[in-house]
Amino acid sequence: MIRITQHTDWVVYIIVGCIFLYIFMLISLRRDSSVREFLLQKFPDSTNNFLSWLIIGFVFSLVFAVFISQYVPVVPKRISDLHILGWELNKFGFTLMTVLGFYLVKNMLTYVFFAGTASLPRWEKFYFSASKFYFVFSLVLMVLCIVRYFYEFEPVQMFGYYLAGVLAVFFFKQLYYFLHPGGILPQQWYYKLLYICSLQIVPVMVLWRVLFF
C-alpha cells in the first residue's frame, strides 16, 4: 500500500497566526492580561469587549474550519465551479466561508432577538461572557488540530469521538448560557428556551446539513 504524504504546513501557519492574534488581544486590548486574568475578569473591569469578541470569533472559526474541513465529504459543485482569479475553494476554504457566514448571520439574529425581547442592556454582557467560552474552546480545538494532523490516528474511527466531544461541549454551552450567574440571557425563562431552541439548536442543524449532506 502506497502512503501519500500529507502536507500540513498550512495547519501550523494557521495555529501560529491564531496564537499571535490572541497574544495581541491580551497585550493590547486586555491591558497585558494573562489567560487566567482574562477568564476571571469581571464585566465592569473589562475593556475593548467588542474587538476582543471579533478576534475570538475569527480565531474560533479558523481553527474549527481546520479541524472539521477534512471530514467534509465534498465541496458542492455550484461552489467549486466558482473561480476567482483562477482560484477555487477547496474543502478548507468552503468550510471556513460557511462557518464565518454561519456565525455572522447567527450573531446578527441574536442581536435582533435581544432587541426584540427588550434585553439590549444584556447584549454586551452576553458577548463578553460568550467570548470567554469560545476562547477556551478555540484553545482546545488548537490542541485537537495538532492531534488530528500530526499523530497517527485513523480519522474515520476518531470522528465518532470528536463528534461526541463537540456535542458534549455544545450541551455544556447551553447550560453555561442558561445558568450563567450574570444573567446574560433575557430574564424570562421562556425567552431563554426560545433562544436556545431557535438560535442554538436549529442553526447547528443547518450548519451540519450544509457541510455534510
Side-chain angles (χ1 to χ4, degrees), residues 100-114:
L100 285 173
F102 164 79
Y103 278 105
L104 176 62
V105 173
K106 179 174 174 290
N107 287 322
M108 291 173 60
L109 292 176
T110 301
Y111 178 84
V112 172
F113 173 82
F114 273 74

Side-chain angles (χ1 to χ4, degrees), residues 5-19 61-72 90-96 142 145-146 148-150:
T5 303
Q6 186 178 22
H7 297 283
T8 54
D9 291 348
W10 62 280
V11 178
V12 176
Y13 297 148
I14 290 175
I15 292 177
V16 171
C18 290
I19 291 173
S61 298
L62 264 177
V63 294
F64 186 69
V66 170
F67 181 64
I68 68 171
S69 61
Q70 302 309 306
Y71 290 110
V72 174
N90 57 13
K91 289 183 179 181
F92 169 70
F94 167 67
T95 304
L96 178 60
M142 289 181 195
C145 285
I146 294 174
R148 163 69 180 83
Y149 287 96
F150 296 98

Side-chain angles (χ1 to χ4, degrees), residues 67-68 71 143-167 208:
F67 181 64
I68 68 171
Y71 290 110
V143 176
L144 290 178
C145 285
I146 294 174
V147 173
R148 163 69 180 83
Y149 287 96
F150 296 98
Y151 288 88
E152 296 293 332
F153 293 107
E154 181 59 41
V156 177
Q157 294 179 353
M158 294 298 295
F159 181 74
Y161 295 103
Y162 293 148
L163 181 60
V166 170
L167 290 175
W208 178 271

